Amino acid sequence: MPELPEVEILRRHLEPLLKGRTVRHVTVRRAKVLGKTPVRDFKRRLQGATFQKLERRGKFLLFKLKTVRAGDRGRLVGHLGMTGRMYLQAAGAKLPKHAVVVFNLGRRNFVFEDTRYFGRLTFDDRSLARLGPEPLGPEFTTAYLAAALKRSSQAIKVKLLDQSLVAGVGNIYASEILFRAGISPRVAANRLTLAQVQRVGAATRAVLQDAIAGGSTIPLDWAGEGTKDGWFYFGRTAETPDYYTERLQVYDRQGQPCPVCGTSIRRLVQAARSTFYCPQCQK
DNA sequence: CACCATGTTCCTTG
DNA sequence: CCAAGGAACATGGT
């Protein structure tokens, strides 16, 4: 599921559902996702805690909790990894095969499901310290980006995936951003002109903002049957309008015509990840 | 069986 | 110390 737009959409969806709800009981089915937090500590801090705000930093969700013990400022950090999902379902409903952590909130359960177990739900917040600026925040300026890119000879596509450069861009939107900017994914970061850096910054904001706007129109109900992991990016269901499936211009469209010039979209591998681009539009 | 997949962290090499 | 590249993590789809 998850790059910045998907996490932001999930945050907006979950916050009103969780706010004011108190955790009655915690079930941990895969201790791995707690990271360094021991299961016993995790449960002790969460039992009786009440959800307050839900924030986002890059691809991380930050659950602000009012905990039972005074002075224990609860900040639970969530990350969806590659296949994580979070949703509420009736307390009596059957849990999915890969339910990893379940919070009972009374009549409903808040479920963290993660097929590949790459996700995290933990009180260990050290990952956050390594993040660069929010791409939709005031610190993500052309001046910042130019200075940061100057220090790297890595290909710009690979650099966009570096969470310490900018927090929240993943493999799908990195290709989309460079297509929008009209820049080849192979160009070394430190060889971009200032005008190109400016375009990368503007395209980053535009692509992410558009994705959030598009996804926010869709009702989320992952507890229901018939929804798939690819829902956000590619999915077509009875409820999703056609335009939504057209949102991605180049990702996973190898061999298809470029939506701008008709040239065949190409795939290449960089840092062991697929990149998609139009060889005509992106020089 | 082979290859691919929305992510992060750790280890090695230079 | 840093940058860069690759493997590991784990499961499922095609």
Side-chain angles (χ1 to χ4, degrees), chain A residues 52-242:
Chain A
Q52 308 208 100
K53 280 163 66 169
L54 181 53
E55 298 174 350
R56 179 192 56 73
R57 181 80 174 88
K59 302 171 194 172
F60 291 84
L61 283 167
L62 311 178
F63 299 85
K64 300 293 185 71
L65 298 155
K66 190 162 83 185
T67 55
V68 176
R69 292 174 303 158
D72 182 4
R73 71 164 202 296
R75 182 168 75 158
L76 184 63
V77 178
H79 196 292
L80 298 169
M82 294 272 264
T83 54
R85 297 172 169 191
M86 294 181 182
Y87 51 81
L88 283 90
Q89 65 179 24
K94 187 173 185 290
L95 290 170
K97 180 177 178 186
H98 300 292
V100 159
V101 178
V102 181
F103 297 128
N104 175 254
L105 308 174
R107 285 154 57 189
R108 310 190 85 186
N109 282 336
F110 175 44
V111 179
F112 177 26
E113 173 189 2
D114 186 5
T115 307
R116 287 169 74 179
Y117 309 126
F118 287 177
R120 289 292 179 271
L121 196 55
T122 176
F123 285 99
D124 178 357
D125 63 0
R126 285 174 299 177
S127 303
L128 301 175
R130 293 177 221 135
L131 297 178
E134 281 294 315
L136 301 179
E139 293 168 39
F140 188 62
T141 61
T142 301
Y144 163 79
L145 195 54
L149 294 180
K150 204 182 307 181
R151 287 185 262 115
S152 173
S153 59
Q154 270 185 318
I156 183 61
K157 157 61 167 40
V158 176
K159 206 61 199 161
L160 281 175
L161 298 179
D162 179 351
Q163 301 299 295
S164 72
L165 174 76
V166 57
V169 175
N171 200 45
I172 291 177
Y173 291 116
S175 283
E176 296 296 313
I177 286 164
L178 292 176
F179 176 73
R180 187 114 158 200
I183 291 167
S184 165
R186 296 186 222 248
V187 184
N190 58 9
R191 302 192 63 153
L192 291 172
T193 66
L194 190 60
Q196 288 176 317
V197 171
Q198 198 277 330
R199 266 157 46 210
V200 169
T204 299
R205 284 183 288 271
V207 164
L208 299 178
Q209 250 156 10
D210 284 2
I212 292 169
S216 292
T217 65
I218 292 172
L220 294 183
D221 179 19
W222 283 315
E225 293 298 320
T227 52
K228 296 211 158 71
D229 275 344
W231 207 50
F232 266 105
Y233 296 117
F234 324 110
R236 184 190 291 261
T237 73
E239 312 91 70
T240 56
D242 282 349

